[in-house]
């Protein structure tokens, strides 16, 4: 343990729902179905050509003279569908139509009394997919009365004419394309910048060149489907459903469940084929790094620091025993084995920093250490032993993203920028440094100091600014990969999360015991969704980034836990270093049954004592 002196509205007139007789229009004319869509197997590209029927709410009266009295009676007895029920039927119908099950869609719409989309929208869809641009423009006049924004017609017409123009160019009909550009697109007086870009495509020598420069799929079903997707965004859903709407809703539901899952620690897959829609998503705590997998006992004194390499293949640990041990991570078993020991430090090793490419490792000592050591990890050779003055205190270090420079400093007022040979490049006078971090811009260095703040220093233009201000000493801090968030261990307060861009305190995490000893916390897990920290009560605490209460408290160490490091490449692997002289490697439970391994176990996902004690089968904490 190191002691530290730093003291949209609902359109009732447009409901796409009709009674059974209205919806049962002859499907033999023009090869159309009662849902208004063509029966050809084009996965929803073909549509019906019927035009005169209006869309209204479900009705108990028959619209045709051929309906029998029994049919009328059954219709009167039929339950009127709610708006939500009609929406669900249309969503199912759209999905089935996308699968080519048009006869099934017909039966669904006839029995429910609903229409999949407005007849004018069906015509419009058909004309767009067939490339009948003049007819599609005429359809827009029919759709005008059904739209909320009259200006949308201009935007939709522009998109149609743009596709028409590009297809003429691809077919080599330059004169026709020029006429569209001059006589149809330009008079719209809309998006003149885009028109200038389109005019440049006239110089394309061949179709491949046009498709490349315009980033366009070319004439055909693909580009027209994409065009239709854009056009549908301007139409109310009561007229035409947004594309693949059911798929979108299901994907959103899966993402929300995963987002609320406290222990979800794997990459999000947007492909619905990778998940089950029949069960709620729940990850088991047994899949989370809450279990001791290995205890490393090679250090013979307090272990002050641990850090995984950027590629996750190695772990470096520094101890009061003056040694640094490099551990190799087995890619299959995730077990660690001793790779090499780096010796010769005059003081204990309290801080370690891997170079961006993991070639070098810098070791720093405690407050009274005026030296730092730069090791070549691959060869085990000491490249640089740097000391500017025996009165210096070099206790923290951070690498510049270019891997050719680093900054170092300490609480006695030293703040240096150096090269790999230890040569002094720049210095900043009078900054009592507690902890350092280099941002990804390669210019800004963040430094916490004895004034309970974090300031940003620019060594190029020699400017500095205040970013974080706390009321208590900042013992250590770390920054997320995107450079947006900072995680602070604050004396007597615990772990705080700051937004560096907005310069606001986002969250205070509860549970950890933090006094005036230096404890290093970390971001971790997939997408850095989790936060872990050591504690003076001998535990490791883990929080979900969005919640202030811990989701796990890991026990096993017998003295203060000084540092926690989460493997950046293996989300289920974590290390902790303690004053008890050991390094513990944490991972999932050693044995998982098949359901738990798939994340479908259905057990409580919140890990609270009350739930564990009552054996609650499922307890949503959110």
């Amino acid at each position: 343990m190191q002691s530290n002196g730093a003291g949209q509205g609902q359109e009732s007139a447009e409901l796409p729902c009709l009674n059974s007789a209205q919806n049962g229009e002859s499907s033999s004319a023009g090869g159309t179905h009662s849902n208004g869509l063509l029966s050809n197997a084009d996965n929803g590209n073909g549509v019906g050509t019927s035009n005169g029927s209006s869309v209204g709410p479900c009705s108990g009266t028959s619209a045709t003279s051929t309906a029998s009295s029994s049919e009328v009676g059954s219709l009167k007895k039929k339950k009127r569908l709610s708006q939500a029920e009609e929406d669900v039927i249309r969503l199912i119908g759209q999905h089935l139509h996308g699968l080519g099950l048009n006869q099934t869609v017909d039966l669904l719409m006839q029995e429910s009394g609903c229409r999949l989309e407005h007849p004018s929208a069906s015509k419009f869809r058909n004309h767009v997919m067939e490339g009948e641009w003049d007819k599609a423009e005429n359809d827009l006049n029919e759709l005008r009365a059904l739209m909320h924004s009259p200006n949308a017609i201009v935007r939709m017409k522009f998109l149609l004419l743009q596709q028409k123009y590009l297809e003429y160019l691809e077919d080599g009909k330059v004169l026709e394309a020029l006429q569209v550009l001059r006589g149809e697109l330009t008079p719209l007086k809309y998006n003149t910048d885009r028109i200038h870009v389109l005019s440049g495509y006239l110089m394309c020598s061949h179709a491949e060149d046009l498709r490349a420069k315009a980033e366009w799929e070319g004439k055909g079903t693909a580009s027209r489907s994409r065009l239709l997707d854009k056009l549908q965004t301007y139409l109310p859903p009561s007229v035409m459903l947004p594309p693949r709407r059911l798929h979108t809703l299901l994907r959103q539901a899966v993402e929300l469940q995963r987002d609320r899952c406290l222990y979800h620690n794997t990459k999000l897959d947007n492909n619905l084929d990778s998940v089950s829609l029949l069960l709620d998503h729940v990850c088991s705590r047994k899949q989370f790094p809450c279990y001791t997998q290995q205890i490393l006992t090679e250090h013979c004194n307090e272990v002050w620091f641990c850090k995984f390499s950027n590629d996750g293949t190695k772990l470096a640990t520094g101890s009061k025993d003056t040694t640094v041990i490099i551990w190799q991570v087995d890619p299959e078993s995730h077990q660690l084995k001793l790779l090499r020991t780096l010796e010769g430090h005059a003081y204990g090793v309290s801080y370690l920093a891997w170079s961006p490419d993991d070639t070098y490792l810098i070791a720093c000592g405690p407050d009274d250490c005026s030296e730092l050591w730069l090791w070549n990890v691959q060869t085990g050779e000491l490249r640089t032993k740097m000391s500017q003055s025996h009165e210096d205190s070099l206790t923290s270090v951070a690498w510049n993203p270019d891997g050719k420079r680093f900054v170092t400093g300490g609480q006695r007022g030293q703040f240096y920028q150096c090269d790999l040979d230890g040569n002094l490049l720049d210095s900043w006078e009078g900054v009592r440094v507690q902890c350092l971090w280099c941002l990804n811009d390669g210019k800004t260095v963040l430094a916490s100091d004895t004034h309970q703040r974090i300031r940003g220093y620019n060594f190029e233009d020699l400017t500095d600014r205040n970013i974080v201000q706390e009321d208590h000493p900042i013992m250590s801090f770390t920054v997320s990969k995107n450079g947006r968030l900072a995680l602070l261990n604050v004396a007597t307060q615990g772990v705080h999360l700051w937004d560096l861009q907005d310069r606001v305190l986002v969250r205070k995490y509860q549970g950890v015991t933090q006094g005036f000893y230096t404890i290093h916390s970390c971001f971790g897990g997939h997408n850095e969704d989790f936060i872990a920290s050591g504690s003076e009560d001998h535990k490791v605490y883990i929080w979900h980034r969005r919640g202030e209460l811990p989701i796990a408290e890991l026990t096993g160490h017998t003295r203060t836990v000084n540092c926690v490091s989460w493997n950046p490449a293996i989300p289920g692997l974590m290390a902790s270093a303690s004053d008890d002289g050991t390094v513990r490697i944490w991972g999932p439970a050693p044995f998982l049954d098949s359901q738990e391994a798939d994340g479908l176990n259905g057990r409580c996902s919140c890990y609270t004592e009350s739930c564990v004690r009552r054996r609650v089968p499922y307890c949503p904490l959110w």
Side-chain angles (χ1 to χ4, degrees), residues 11-12 53 61 188 248 261 300 307 516 552 565:
E11 307 106 10
S12 59
S53 56
T61 60
L188 290 177
T248 299
C261 179
C300 57
K307 186 69 175 178
F516 287 90
S565 180

Side-chain angles (χ1 to χ4, degrees), residues 98-379:
L99 298 175
L101 305 177
N102 292 315
Q103 292 183 356
T104 304
V105 179
D106 284 346
L107 292 174
L108 176 63
M109 296 302 159
Q110 288 177 15
E111 187 171 2
S112 65
C114 294
R115 188 185 292 280
L116 191 58
E117 60 185 18
H118 195 278
S120 296
S122 298
K123 282 202 310 175
F124 181 63
R125 178 196 299 275
N126 183 49
H127 292 150
V128 169
M129 295 306 300
E130 293 297 327
E132 298 176 333
W133 307 117
D134 294 337
K135 292 181 180 179
E137 287 186 54
N138 292 332
D139 295 335
L140 288 179
N141 296 325
E142 296 181 18
L143 293 169
R144 184 188 299 271
L146 304 175
M147 300 172 63
H148 299 305
S149 174
N151 295 330
I153 291 293
V154 176
R155 302 188 186 100
M156 295 176 72
K157 189 173 183 179
F158 185 90
L159 293 172
L160 283 173
L161 293 173
Q162 178 179 251
Q163 178 81 9
K164 179 181 179 180
Y165 169 78
L166 292 173
E167 291 194 7
Y168 274 152
L169 282 180
E170 186 179 68
D171 289 341
K173 301 178 181 179
V174 179
L175 294 179
E176 289 86 343
L178 188 59
Q179 175 57 34
V180 172
L181 186 67
R182 291 179 176 178
E184 299 183 70
L185 276 167
T186 302
L188 290 177
K189 297 181 180 180
Y190 174 77
N191 201 348
T192 54
D193 291 339
R194 178 60 179 168
I195 290 177
H196 292 323
V197 174
L198 292 174
S199 64
Y201 299 153
L202 288 166
M203 305 304 295
C204 293
S205 57
H206 48 78
E208 290 76 11
D209 187 27
L210 171 67
R211 289 193 290 266
K213 290 183 177 179
E215 297 179 352
W216 182 58
E217 298 93 335
K219 179 180 178 180
T221 302
S223 64
R224 292 173 181 175
S225 295
R226 187 179 294 272
L227 168 64
L228 193 60
D229 287 350
K230 294 179 181 179
L231 294 169
Q232 282 183 259
T233 61
Y234 297 102
L235 295 172
S238 57
V239 177
M240 181 184 286
L241 286 173
R244 297 171 293 279
R245 183 59 183 161
L246 181 59
H247 182 278
T248 299
L249 291 173
L250 291 174
R251 179 174 50 80
Q252 291 173 348
V254 170
E255 289 176 354
L256 179 61
Q257 289 184 25
R258 286 175 168 175
D259 209 32
R260 291 182 173 182
C261 179
L262 292 183
Y263 296 109
H264 188 80
N265 193 26
T266 57
K267 182 179 180 180
L268 294 178
D269 190 346
N270 292 328
N271 185 3
L272 293 180
D273 293 334
S274 65
V275 298
S276 171
L277 299 177
L278 306 181
L279 292 171
D280 286 342
H281 174 84
V282 181
C283 288
S284 169
R285 183 176 182 271
K286 292 183 178 180
Q287 300 168 263
F288 207 67
C290 295
Y291 302 85
T292 300
Q293 290 191 336
Q294 197 174 357
I295 303 176
L296 310 179
T297 60
E298 277 72 4
H299 284 293
C300 57
N301 210 323
E302 299 173 359
V303 186
W304 288 342
F305 200 83
C306 62
K307 186 69 175 178
F308 279 105
S309 59
N310 298 292
D311 61 5
T313 62
K314 298 177 181 65
L315 174 71
T317 57
S319 171
K320 187 178 180 180
D321 66 8
T322 74
T323 67
V324 174
I325 298 181
I326 308 298
W327 309 84
Q328 185 72 47
V329 181
D330 187 285
E332 299 296 333
S333 67
H334 298 167
Q335 291 289 300
L336 277 70
K337 64 179 181 179
L338 194 151
L339 182 61
R340 59 173 48 92
T341 301
L342 308 178
E343 299 176 328
H345 306 92
Y347 302 85
V349 179
S350 61
Y351 196 84
L352 296 165
W354 290 89
S355 63
D357 61 0
D358 295 326
T359 299
Y360 299 106
L361 181 72
I362 296 179
C364 297
D367 290 342
D368 54 350
C369 179
S370 61
E371 301 172 336
L372 62 78
W373 296 262
L374 193 157
W375 296 89
N376 186 316
V377 180
Q378 297 175 349
T379 64

